[in-house]
Amino acid sequence: MQTKFVVVLGSLMSGMGKGIVTSSILKIMELNGLKALPVKFDGYLNYDCGTMNPYRHGEVFVLDDGSEVDMDFGMYERFMNRSLTGKLSITGGKVFSSIIEKERRGDYLGEDVQMIPHTINNILERLRAISESEKPNVLVIEVGGTVGDIENSYFIEAMRQLSLLEKVVFVNLTYIPKIDVVGEQKTKPTQIAFRMLMSAGIKPDFIVARSAEPLERSAKRKISMFTSVTEDRVIDDSTSDTIYSVPIHFIEQGFDRLLLKDLGINASLSKKKFEAYKKRLSGKASPGPKIAIVGKYVELKDSYASVKEALVHSGLSLNVSPELHWIESADISEGNVAEALSGMDGVIVPGGFGSRGIEGMITAIRHARENSIPFLGLCLGMQTMAIEFARNVCDLKGANSSEFDHSAKHKVVYIMPSQKGAKKKGGTMRLGAWECVIPSKSSTAYKAYRSSRISERHRHRYEINNKYIKVFERKGLIPSGKSADGRLVEMLEWRNSFGIGTQAHPELKSRLESPAPLFVAFLSAAQKHSRNS
Ligand code: GLN
């Protein structure tokens, strides 16, 4: 069967949940027994997200193959419960760098290299390559940015041209505000959004209406009348309790049936899979435990999107609803740590780069260890766990990571020899899936994973310095996970209470239907802590 296309375009503004709509369409295709894959277009000229600031752009998501991609890929994987590859991410940087490389090589000799046809064809060739190698029934393409931006205009033009060649269904996400004084949902912005899309030569087949409250009948009628999209194709996307119920809401409105009809695909919803999916969300979660996330990018929650979702997934699997407290690590000091963490049942220190806020993390970890509060350290969180233990238990004064102090007396975390020569910043870290061996069945790591060989995703430059492993072990910090070749420490854990650090980012592989084992173990330890305190 030939690949068909669904193109999701967002109008008016960002932040309406285009990624959630795309993920939900992927999910409903899959629940209809189809192989659906996402493609994400991003108009920026960065080659990938690896060099972006998490404060501005949100989390950098990492795939098994080591690609550093937009955080929407995290959303797709979490909904689909499937691992994706980097070629599904098409950025302006990738498109233009390959065009210029070809031009220099002489591939276009004698031609003027132009937006049309060269850029558009480059994009279409990439889609063709994906559909030939992966053979999906449906490619669901999310066009990053907003209709009308200069940045994504060539991607939108490529989609218009695609619709001349292939079966394409256009889904337009718009926003329906409600003005307090009038108390009525306003459709004018959607009417304007429609006209803008029409002026790009695209008529939407569906309008997905994002609103705080359910879409009123009258608003639906009005949208339909002004856009010539029939009412059954104006889909309600009002705020729900959890993002994971959006596919259910779409199916209940018959969105999947109409999409498949338009695509010309004969498929039917698997009742069994649909019921199982609904059941995952139907549990009555009891509130608690209280979890502190002590990080350096907490002001922008998107920086830790996967950590947050991993807590949602593990909470659902344990039938608890953790209460999350985001704490800026730079604000923590010895003087206020007891107050800042008072009443907490678990502490997480997530990933990060650079020296700001590191001492606050170390202080928080010390407090957790000395008070037997369950602790989970993610990448930088494990590195700071090692520094804290070295300084306060092993009495190695001045212990640090060479990332933060080049001249530290005890570099318990240091740059990997293989990283020393790396001059370029993009794509040069230890990236992607790495195997880890967990030898001892009595370790927290083994109890969490129930396996002695696991694989998680990485994104870092620095490693635990093996020189200090013996003293750590003697004093009660156990290297419970090692790289497959035995040369790198992948996990550390406290002997005396629940505390585990991993050099990987297990949150990147947590999905609704398969929560990250370390998060489940951590959350159940926190739950126990909350019962006992
Ligand atoms: N900055 C640390 C390193 O590069 C940790 C990175 C991270 O937490 N992802 O090793």
Side-chain angles (χ1 to χ4, degrees):
M1 186 200 215
Q2 195 193 331
T3 302
K4 315 262 170 106
F5 300 83
V6 176
V7 176
V8 182
L9 297 145
S11 290
L12 302 170
M13 59 190 184
S14 61
M16 289 190 298
K18 195 150 28 88
I20 297 171
V21 170
T22 307
S23 304
S24 301
I25 294 175
L26 286 160
K27 190 73 203 174
I28 63 181
M29 292 289 122
E30 215 176 66
L31 289 170
N32 274 278
L34 297 168
K35 179 173 179 187
L37 282 179
V39 168
K40 174 83 197 284
F41 291 154
D42 278 301
Y44 45 71
L45 297 181
N46 299 61
Y47 189 85
D48 60 28
C49 285
T51 52
M52 288 185 181
N53 183 342
Y55 246 148
R56 273 190 46 75
H57 192 77
E59 173 185 76
V60 176
F61 199 77
V62 183
L63 302 175
D64 282 342
D65 64 10
S67 304
E68 297 172 282
V69 290
D70 190 89
M71 55 188 290
D72 277 319
F73 277 85
M75 189 90 78
Y76 308 149
E77 287 197 343
R78 290 193 281 272
F79 273 75
M80 296 171 75
N81 194 17
R82 159 200 275 265
S83 295
L84 301 167
T85 56
K87 68 177 170 211
L88 303 174
S89 161
I90 303 181
T91 63
K94 284 185 189 174
V95 170
F96 292 117
S97 67
S98 79
I99 292 175
I100 290 171
E101 200 185 303
K102 281 185 180 171
E103 187 275 334
R104 291 289 81 187
R105 212 167 49 211
D107 289 10
Y108 309 120
L109 269 190
E111 291 176 51
D112 298 2
V113 183
Q114 290 181 315
M115 291 299 269
I116 298 176
H118 298 90
T119 308
I120 306 302
N121 287 349
N122 186 291
I123 295 167
L124 297 179
E125 275 159 28
R126 285 169 191 271
L127 294 180
R128 216 164 287 133
I130 294 167
S131 93
E132 271 164 25
S133 64
E134 305 295 323
K135 301 196 175 26
N137 303 116
V138 186
L139 273 187
V140 184
I141 301 173
E142 176 179 347
V143 182
T146 305
V147 177
D149 291 349
I150 291 178
E151 277 79 7
N152 62 13
S153 54
Y154 54 97
F155 282 120
I156 296 180
E157 170 60 13
M159 293 302 90
R160 188 191 66 79
Q161 294 194 22
L162 180 71
S163 71
L164 299 171
L165 307 166
E166 305 286 346
K167 184 78 225 163
V168 180
V169 171
F170 289 101
V171 175
N172 187 202
L173 173 64
T174 74
Y175 182 61
I176 314 291
K178 185 169 181 168
I179 313 286
D180 280 353
V181 234
V182 202
E184 177 194 354
Q185 288 181 330
K186 306 304 279 180
T187 64
K188 186 75 88 202
T190 298
Q191 296 174 36
I192 295 167
F194 171 77
R195 273 179 238 143
M196 280 181 81
L197 196 52
M198 288 290 278
S199 69
I202 292 173
K203 176 173 183 296
D205 299 286
F206 293 88
I207 290 183
V208 174
R210 179 82 188 88
S211 55
E213 287 156 30
L215 189 63
E216 287 158 15
R217 193 67 218 276
S218 56
K220 197 177 221 191
R221 203 174 301 139
K222 231 172 174 176
I223 295 171
S224 167
M225 201 186 49
F226 283 103
T227 61
S228 322
V229 172
T230 53
E231 274 184 48
D232 54 348
R233 284 152 186 279
V234 178
I235 309 293
D236 174 298
D237 181 25
S238 49
T239 305
S240 51
D241 291 351
T242 151
I243 54 173
Y244 299 105
S245 65
V246 176
I248 302 173
H249 190 47
F250 281 178
I251 288 176
E252 284 167 353
Q253 294 178 73
F255 191 11
D256 59 329
R257 306 302 350 131
L258 289 170
L259 263 177
L260 293 171
K261 191 170 143 209
D262 284 7
L263 292 169
I265 295 177
N266 198 355
S268 53
L269 183 71
S270 157
K271 293 252 156 42
K272 206 170 135 214
K273 275 198 201 162
F274 188 40
E275 288 311 315
Y277 185 79
K278 282 203 276 193
K279 199 158 164 252
R280 250 176 210 281
L281 301 172
S282 64
K284 283 263 169 298
S286 45
K290 290 195 175 85
I291 306 295
I293 299 129
V294 183
K296 51 184 295 179
Y297 314 117
V298 292
E299 251 170 68
L300 182 71
K301 297 280 178 321
D302 270 358
S303 318
Y304 298 123
S306 296
V307 173
K308 179 174 163 268
E309 291 306 315
L311 286 163
V312 170
H313 306 155
S314 42
L316 280 167
S317 78
L318 295 168
N319 257 330
V320 295
S321 169
E323 192 181 299
L324 308 188
H325 296 254
W326 301 89
I327 300 176
E328 172 56 55
S329 61
D331 294 343
I332 290 204
S333 63
E334 274 174 32
N336 68 15
V337 67
E339 195 191 336
L341 297 181
S342 117
M344 293 298 144
D345 302 305
V347 174
I348 295 181
V349 173
F353 295 82
S355 57
R356 185 184 60 81
I358 297 299
E359 292 304 317
M361 292 176 180
I362 292 170
T363 307
I365 297 171
R366 178 180 194 166
H367 181 86
R369 183 178 52 75
E370 290 180 345
N371 293 281
S372 302
I373 302 172
F375 168 72
L376 176 62
L378 306 167
C379 201
L380 176 64
M382 175 174 98
Q383 297 174 357
T384 42
M385 178 194 203
I387 299 169
E388 187 282 317
F389 200 86
R391 287 184 192 171
N392 302 321
V393 181
C394 307
D395 213 20
L396 298 167
K397 296 278 171 277
N400 215 331
S401 162
S402 58
E403 180 179 5
F404 316 128
D405 181 2
H406 268 302
S407 52
K409 185 155 174 237
H410 296 287
K411 294 187 185 80
V412 293
V413 179
Y414 73 150
I415 194 114
M416 286 155 65
S418 62
Q419 283 286 341
K420 269 197 179 142
K423 293 247 168 2
K424 284 197 201 160
K425 287 282 183 234
T428 55
M429 286 188 253
R430 175 145 84 106
L431 287 166
W434 284 74
E435 275 209 328
C436 164
V437 177
I438 305 170
S440 165
K441 296 210 162 151
S442 60
S443 63
T444 300
Y446 186 90
K447 284 182 200 148
Y449 283 100
R450 291 195 200 98
S451 170
S452 48
R453 202 169 254 271
I454 58 143
S455 169
E456 293 286 9
R457 294 174 181 174
H458 288 242
R459 182 173 187 261
H460 57 102
R461 270 183 229 288
Y462 295 82
E463 300 283 347
I464 299 293
N465 187 341
N466 284 330
K467 201 170 112 187
Y468 294 94
I469 286 303
K470 280 222 167 71
V471 54
F472 283 169
E473 212 166 352
R474 208 168 51 239
K475 298 278 188 178
L477 183 66
I478 314 300
S480 54
K482 292 264 181 82
S483 57
D485 63 7
R487 292 198 348 224
L488 302 169
V489 173
E490 301 285 35
M491 281 196 253
L492 285 172
E493 54 188 75
W494 293 333
R495 185 182 286 133
N496 294 339
S497 65
F498 188 103
I500 184 156
T502 164
Q503 191 56 81
H505 287 280
E507 69 275 19
L508 299 178
K509 271 185 29 184
S510 186
R511 285 116 192 224
L512 177 69
E513 287 151 290
S514 55
L518 272 189
F519 278 77
V520 178
F522 163 74
L523 206 56
S524 69
Q527 197 185 358
K528 242 180 249 152
H529 183 276
S530 87
R531 265 195 241 113
N532 297 339
S533 59

